[in-house]
């Protein structure tokens, strides 16, 4: 059902973007270009093969914005409902048939989640749009209608971690403007944390005894903060003297741009600096940040910060020779460890194979192709500028990566959590040499 729903939206978006009215020149857009744009929008990635500002008409841009909203809210809704299903350890069919008697998820609970996500999304998007509209209106002299349109478009694109922009150079023209850069960065971070974390934050502000932070919220908030700080330090340090990026800026603007490019791999895809001008080391750091991504049940992609953190705890426990894995005052189940391992290894395998194929059919270097592949799989949208020059076969591979990256980890992790089979026969145990 998940794959079918996303496929239907992508198909509808592709057909709509192929219409002459969707292009600025009034001509029909090719099927591959329309498909790539639709997949990138629905999967809230931001990779493009044509200039969003120049190629698409206002109607086409509205279609893209609608696809972004559907994709972002749809992913949060899907992931949040699946998290509920995992917690109750019961399939949807059983939930609807037996209801409260087995403590299953009720329709009213699902309805509250859906409406909560919609309200949550609109709140952040409205606040961000208001800040951006005011800045476009006062700081850049935009007409009210244009200021509102640009404010709304970039607010929706930022909160949903889509990375689509109405400027040919993304946000490079606003690199030193904190009134544009910071609202967009904060919206990206907010969307990337995930709906369950924001629910806990809201509940802690309610009167009465404070509830205990869940392990999921603690991991998401702490790892997100660490990655933001580490990313800011590394990007700023590596690009400090680069004449193509931070070199010409003063200290304050360098720190602002460094922070922005640490937040974008969460996975938004906006850029205020020329990514193609980054040092190879900076591209590699960005690869790692993109691969990890953001929080579960949010608009970010990647393997998710919880998966990354759980694997780190598993490694730490095994190095210390401990029989079980503990995080704080909680013990991880073996099932959770297996889920994290499977999701991470499948992601690595998919990135490796896709990189190898693209290296075979394109003339680009390894660092460029690896960056593009991880950006597509992690639904980031950052690029060194080679997307439009990749042959059609390569663009279709990127489409598949975006699609799998958007729904794959969610559906895979849920399937692993819900699917438990007891073996009827167990064979004698043996321990092969490891390492």
């Amino acid at each position: 059902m998940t794959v079918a729903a996303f496929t239907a939206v992508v198909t509808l978006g592709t057909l709509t973007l192929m219409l002459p009215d969707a292009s600025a020149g009034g001509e029909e857009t090719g099927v591959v270009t329309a498909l790539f744009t639709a997949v990138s929008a629905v999967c809230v990635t931001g990779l493009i093969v044509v200039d969003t500002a120049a190629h698409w008409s206002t109607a086409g841009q509205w279609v893209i914005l609608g696809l972004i909203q559907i994709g972002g809210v749809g992913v949060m809704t899907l992931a949040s409902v699946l998290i509920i299903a995992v917690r109750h350890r019961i399939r949807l069919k059983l939930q609807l048939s037996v209801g409260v008697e087995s403590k299953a998820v009720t329709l009213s609970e699902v309805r509250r989640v859906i409406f909560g996500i919609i309200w949550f999304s609109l709140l952040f998007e409205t606040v961000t749009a208001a800040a951006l509209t005011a800045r476009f209106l006062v700081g850049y002299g935009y007409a009210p209608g244009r200021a509102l349109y640009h404010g709304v478009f970039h607010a929706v694109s930022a909160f949903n971690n889509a990375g689509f922009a109405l400027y040919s150079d993304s946000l490079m023209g606003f690199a030193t403007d904190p009134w544009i850069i910071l609202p967009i960065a904060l919206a990206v971070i907010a969307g990337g944390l995930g709906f369950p974390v924001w629910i806990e934050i809201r509940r802690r502000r309610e009167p009465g005894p404070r509830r205990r932070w869940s392990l999921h919220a603690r991991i998401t908030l702490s790892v997100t903060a660490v990655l933001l700080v580490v990313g800011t330090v590394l990007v700023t340090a590596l690009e400090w003297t680069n004449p193509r990026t931070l070199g010409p800026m003063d200290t304050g603007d360098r720190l602002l741009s460094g922070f922005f490019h640490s937040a974008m791999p969460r996975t938004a895809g906006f850029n205020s600096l020329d990514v193609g001008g980054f040092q190879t080391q900076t591209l590699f750091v960005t690869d790692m940040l993109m691969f990890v991504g953001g929080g579960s049940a949010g608009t970010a992609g990647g393997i998710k910060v919880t998966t990354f953190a759980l694997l780190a705890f598993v490694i730490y426990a095994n190095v210390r020779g401990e029989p079980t894995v503990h995080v704080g005052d909680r013990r991880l189940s073996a099932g959770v460890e297996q889920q994290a391992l499977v999701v991470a290894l499948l992601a690595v395998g998919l990135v490796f194979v896709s990189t190898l194929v693209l290296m075979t059919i394109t003339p680009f270097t390894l660092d460029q192709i690896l960056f593009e592949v991880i950006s597509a799989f992690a639904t980031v949208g950052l690029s060194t500028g080679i997307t439009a020059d990749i042959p059609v076969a390569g663009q279709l591979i990127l489409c598949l990566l975006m699609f799998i990256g958007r729904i794959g980890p969610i559906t895979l992790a849920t399937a692993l959590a819900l699917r438990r089979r007891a073996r009827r026969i167990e064979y004698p145990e043996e321990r092969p040499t490891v390492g």
Side-chain angles (χ1 to χ4, degrees):
M1 291 177 63
T2 302
V3 174
F6 272 81
T7 302
V9 177
V10 167
T11 302
L12 180 61
T14 302
L15 295 175
T16 306
L17 291 175
M18 290 177 63
L19 297 175
D21 289 342
S23 67
E27 299 177 354
E28 182 177 317
T29 300
V31 61
V32 175
T33 299
L35 173 64
F36 192 96
T37 305
V39 172
S40 184
V42 173
C43 297
V44 291
T45 305
L47 285 176
I48 56 175
V49 291
V50 292
D51 189 343
T52 305
H55 180 83
W56 303 108
S57 64
T58 302
Q61 292 170 0
W62 276 110
V63 171
I64 293 173
L65 191 65
L67 294 175
I68 291 172
Q69 189 72 290
I70 292 173
V73 174
V75 167
M76 282 196 296
T77 303
L78 171 67
S80 298
V81 171
L82 291 182
I83 285 175
I84 294 176
V86 170
R87 285 176 178 173
H88 287 271
R89 292 280 194 266
I90 193 166
R91 295 184 181 277
L92 181 60
K93 181 178 179 180
L94 185 59
Q95 294 170 5
L96 297 177
S97 61
V98 300
V100 179
E101 294 180 357
S102 66
K103 297 183 180 179
V105 178
T106 63
L107 288 176
S108 60
E109 186 175 358
V110 174
R111 190 180 299 113
R112 286 197 302 271
V113 169
I114 293 175
F115 282 110
I117 289 174
I118 294 175
W119 177 87
F120 165 73
S121 303
L122 292 178
L123 174 63
F124 274 96
E125 290 171 355
T126 300
V127 173
T128 306
L132 294 177
T133 300
R135 182 57 179 169
F136 287 133
L137 189 64
V138 176
Y140 295 91
Y142 285 14
R146 186 187 179 202
L148 179 62
Y149 176 56
H150 280 243
V152 170
F153 188 98
H154 291 96
V156 173
S157 183
F159 176 76
N160 289 287
N161 280 215
F164 281 87
L166 295 178
Y167 304 97
S168 300
D169 60 355
S170 189
L171 300 178
M172 290 177 62
F174 307 101
T176 60
D177 187 351
W179 298 102
I180 297 292
I181 293 299
L182 289 181
I184 289 179
L186 293 177
V188 167
I189 296 171
L193 287 178
F195 181 68
V197 173
W198 282 106
I199 287 295
E200 290 200 40
I201 293 175
R202 183 181 65 84
R203 286 177 176 173
R204 286 182 65 85
R205 296 178 60 87
E206 294 176 352
R210 288 193 173 184
R211 302 189 181 189
R212 177 188 179 88
W213 285 107
S214 69
L215 183 59
H216 170 77
R218 280 185 285 166
I219 290 177
T220 301
L221 291 172
S222 58
V223 176
T224 297
V226 170
L227 291 179
L228 283 172
V229 173
V230 172
T232 301
V233 172
L234 290 178
V235 170
T236 305
L238 291 172
E239 296 296 316
W240 189 266
T241 58
N242 187 346
R244 299 179 61 183
T245 55
L246 298 182
M249 299 181 179
D250 59 32
T251 302
D253 292 337
R254 287 173 177 175
L255 294 176
L256 177 64
S257 296
F259 167 74
F260 187 74
H261 278 275
S262 174
M264 290 308 102
R266 312 297 325 150
T267 50
F270 293 108
N271 62 283
S272 63
L273 299 174
D274 180 11
V275 177
F278 277 174
Q279 306 277 7
T280 302
Q281 302 93 314
T282 310
L283 291 178
F284 186 66
V285 169
T286 309
D287 285 339
M288 293 187 291
L289 293 175
M290 291 191 299
F291 188 77
V292 174
S296 300
T299 57
I303 63 172
K304 303 298 188 294
V305 294
T306 46
T307 304
F308 173 74
L310 292 180
L311 290 176
F313 284 117
V314 170
I315 293 173
Y316 179 73
N318 278 270
V319 168
R320 289 172 57 88
E322 298 177 351
T324 56
V325 181
H326 291 79
V327 182
D329 55 356
R330 290 291 185 268
R331 177 172 59 87
L332 298 183
S333 68
V336 171
E337 298 173 30
Q338 293 172 4
Q339 292 164 31
L341 184 63
V342 169
V343 169
L345 288 181
L346 285 179
V348 170
L350 188 61
V351 168
F352 176 83
V353 173
S354 302
T355 301
L356 179 61
V357 174
L358 287 179
M359 286 183 65
T360 305
I361 64 176
T362 66
F364 302 110
T365 60
L366 172 60
D367 54 346
Q368 291 176 311
I369 294 175
L370 181 63
F371 191 92
E372 200 81 8
V373 167
I374 295 179
S375 180
F377 169 74
T379 68
V380 179
L382 290 173
S383 174
T384 57
I386 67 173
T387 312
D389 298 323
I390 293 176
V392 172
Q395 292 179 1
L396 294 178
I397 291 175
L398 293 179
C399 284
L400 185 61
L401 283 171
M402 289 187 285
F403 194 85
I404 295 175
R406 183 71 283 178
I407 66 173
I410 299 173
T411 53
L412 175 62
T414 305
L416 291 174
L418 290 177
R419 189 174 182 173
R420 291 288 182 268
R421 290 183 179 180
R423 294 183 62 93
R424 296 185 179 182
I425 299 176
E426 282 291 352
Y427 295 100
E429 181 179 306
E430 186 173 347
R431 297 178 62 88
T433 302
V434 178

